[in-house]
Amino acid sequence: AAQVVSRPEAALIPGLVNAHVHNPMTLLRGVADDLPLKVWLQEHIWPIEAAVMGPEFVADGVTLAIAEMLRGGTTCCNENYFFPDVQAATYKRHGFRARVGLPVIDFPTAWARSDDEYFDRAGEVYDSWRDDALITTAFAPHAPYTVNNANFERVRMLADQLDVPVHLHLHETAQEVAQSQEKQGQRPIARLARLGLVNDRLIAVHMT
């Protein structure tokens, strides 16, 4: 061998996979991290993201996260954040495997301003990366409490047509379940099952 590495106290294993990440948010680490989810999101994270989120922010956050993941043995991740085009290009540039989420959410962000724009941009990113060896995509409707039935049905139709996964937050908190029972008349998983999204393509995260 041209090079021999001796690690008698180590174990050699395949690379680990992190099945749910918001890697650009490495740059927000520690922000209001001791609060209930709804307060943390609505009063802290979403306002901060509205002020700072953009292509450069996403590229820098992903780059930092790649370095951290590699140090811990993670070589592949399932991403769920905005600017998936920038994410994909950054992961590709560093030779890191990633499934990049195509975000859908019921309010304007720096990535898209309307329902149609979210889906149009999702289609563009999917088309750009569908034949790549390292980068794949998934639809990423944010959560039952931030995505309406019409958009979930649209996601289901496209996911079926394109045969791509659907990656979303589900049953994160007791409040989410209670709110769904009050507004929808059923728990979030039951609602998604009614809409046809509970199948072998669903990547449901948190599930507490």
Side-chain angles (χ1 to χ4, degrees):
Q3 182 182 11
V4 176
V5 178
S6 178
R7 295 293 301 275
E9 304 301 318
L12 184 65
I13 64 170
L16 300 171
V17 177
N18 189 332
H20 176 65
V21 297
H22 307 274
N23 274 331
M25 294 181 76
T26 52
L27 301 182
L28 300 179
R29 185 177 288 135
V31 171
D33 60 0
D34 55 351
L35 296 171
L37 177 66
K38 186 175 181 181
V39 175
W40 179 75
L41 276 176
Q42 294 182 352
E43 298 181 19
H44 298 274
I45 294 301
W46 287 345
I48 292 170
E49 286 179 334
V52 303
M53 185 172 54
E56 296 83 6
F57 174 90
V58 169
D60 288 348
V62 166
T63 301
L64 171 60
I66 288 171
E68 292 180 343
M69 287 187 292
L70 289 174
R71 287 190 68 186
T74 296
T75 61
C76 178
C77 69
N78 187 38
E79 180 67 78
N80 189 310
Y81 203 67
F82 302 99
F83 291 92
D85 55 341
V86 176
Q87 295 172 41
T90 306
Y91 285 119
K92 180 70 172 180
R93 185 165 64 250
H94 292 287
F96 195 95
R97 290 188 301 137
R99 184 181 297 280
V100 175
L102 308 171
V104 176
I105 198 165
D106 282 357
F107 54 81
T109 64
W111 170 245
R113 310 302 295 177
S114 67
D115 292 348
D116 285 343
E117 188 175 7
Y118 278 109
F119 284 98
D120 288 346
R121 300 200 76 177
E124 291 169 3
V125 176
Y126 168 81
D127 284 339
S128 296
W129 295 95
R130 61 181 170 179
D131 297 319
D132 194 83
L134 287 177
I135 309 300
T136 55
T137 56
F139 280 99
H142 177 257
Y145 56 89
T146 51
V147 178
N148 62 52
N149 285 350
N151 281 340
F152 270 134
E153 289 170 347
R154 200 168 170 183
V155 165
R156 188 206 67 226
M157 178 189 70
L158 291 168
D160 288 350
Q161 289 177 351
L162 302 174
D163 193 24
V164 298
V166 176
H167 173 196
L168 84 162
H169 309 86
L170 186 60
H171 282 230
E172 288 178 273
T173 64
Q175 181 185 29
E176 174 196 339
V177 176
Q179 177 182 317
S180 179
Q181 288 173 311
E182 179 184 339
K183 293 186 175 180
Q184 304 285 339
Q186 56 190 162
R187 293 165 67 89
I189 290 177
R191 176 182 164 218
L192 290 179
R194 174 170 55 83
L195 295 171
L197 284 159
V198 178
N199 55 39
D200 60 355
R201 280 192 296 275
L202 180 64
I203 303 168
V205 297
H206 297 301
M207 291 289 292
T208 56

